[in-house]
Amino acid sequence: MRRLLAPILAVLAMLVSLLVAPAASAAEATIPAGPAATATAASDFDAETALGDSIRTADLSKFEAGNIISDEVFFDSSTMTEAQIQTFLEEKVPSCRAGYTCLKDWYDTTRSTSADAMCGAYSGGGSERASRIIYKVAQACGINPQVILATLQKEQGLVNHVWPSDWRYRIAMGQGCPDTAACDTRYYGFFNQVYGAAWQFKRYANPAGTSQYFTWYAPGKTWNILWNPNHSCGSSPVYVQNQATANLYYYTPYQPNAAAIEAGYGTGDGCSSYGNRNFYQYFTDWFGSTHGSPGAKAIMARWEALDGVQGVLGRSTGPVVCGKLQDGCYQNFQGGAISWTESTGAWETHGVIRARWRALDFERSVLQYPTGPVVCGKLQDGCYQNFQGGAISWTESTGAWETHGVIRARW
């Protein structure tokens, strides 16, 4: 982890490199073999991260210190494919500043690792792209790749950084970087950082075959958790509800105070810390609820009902995105998309009907969300789809047009 070594200066990217340096880790008695680093600790706000995406959807009033993220979400390694991770990184930084290599184009030399109590075997030994490393580590260790992406961002701002220096990749996940000493060089390197952090996230649960070392933030108990690395700022009791939340406190053992929560991505007061706040906010902004979404499950079920990759929609081209109007969710696919709300359920849109809905501004239009599938085989070989606010009908001779309101009622 890193700690901010100077006050937040002006929000100018040119000054950012002056603000940050490595920080944080409480070492286990015996360092495990391989790249698995020691338990990391403090992670503080970096002014640079505030320069990232302009769209903010996270409601920090919903931040729960004892339930930052659910086990179901944290350990779900199936949320993104390698291609989706790469697309995500390219969307965050379409163009990198000349002379620098951004995360979407970063390669690192990997190595093969054997399976152990924490992770399955990793087949490496060559130069692999960052998106492939993230994906393969997620699969080997059973960690949500979205968790890895959010951690890369909250630690070194790598996801949306347009001119990252090489040192950011050396300590990409803040792994093996204690508050009180320099980062351990044994854990330098992007692959070592990503694999080591994922390995450590699994180690915190003390799986069978390991010592019962990590007990002080164990779930199902109340722990006094600090506000800040400065112990004089004090602490407050937190009932840690699950292993995933315990993992985040082992990794960054501070909770955001009221000033940090009120500040959003900004700075709070002298006793604020930002690591777990920023993790929650980045994850929520990018991927939706840290507690999972019934929408995501419904979208997956509908896609499978449509024969998955063999169906009309084909492969997914991005993650499930929630937090839309009516608390809706959607996911894009090669051949269209599936949208969901609690009241409508999950339904696909595709082809010319989807094109017309897009022209009307999707769910923000008078039609709102679809309430059923595209139905074809009508008169003149026509098709239609119903929506909350009306319908779109199509024939080859007429094209696709919406009907709604009193005109639709009369029709």
Side-chain angles (χ1 to χ4, degrees), residues 26-28 39 204 213-218 222-224 240 249-250 253:
E28 186 175 355
Y204 293 140
Y213 179 81
F214 293 98
T215 58
W216 58 95
Y217 293 127
T222 298
W223 304 94
N224 285 320
V240 177
Y249 283 125
Y250 285 124

Side-chain angles (χ1 to χ4, degrees), residues 9 16 95 137 140 165 206 219 226 239 244 246 257 310 313 315 374 391 399:
L9 305 179
V16 169
S95 179
V137 167
S165 299
N206 302 315
L226 294 166
Y239 179 77
N257 63 7
Q310 305 301 322
L313 295 182
R315 297 183 183 278
V374 175

Side-chain angles (χ1 to χ4, degrees), residues 13-34:
M14 187 175 297
L15 297 180
V16 169
S17 61
L18 302 177
L19 300 179
V20 291
S25 167
E28 186 175 355
T30 302
I31 297 173

Side-chain angles (χ1 to χ4, degrees), residues 48 86 89-107 129 157-166 168-169:
E48 174 180 20
Q86 182 62 32
L89 295 177
E90 291 172 354
E91 288 175 347
K92 293 305 174 189
V93 180
S95 179
C96 196
R97 186 178 297 185
Y100 293 87
T101 303
C102 291
L103 188 56
K104 65 186 178 71
D105 297 316
W106 186 262
Y107 284 77
R129 205 172 197 173
L158 278 172
V159 171
N160 63 20
H161 205 311
V162 297
W163 51 288
S165 299
D166 286 353
R168 291 183 184 272
Y169 292 101

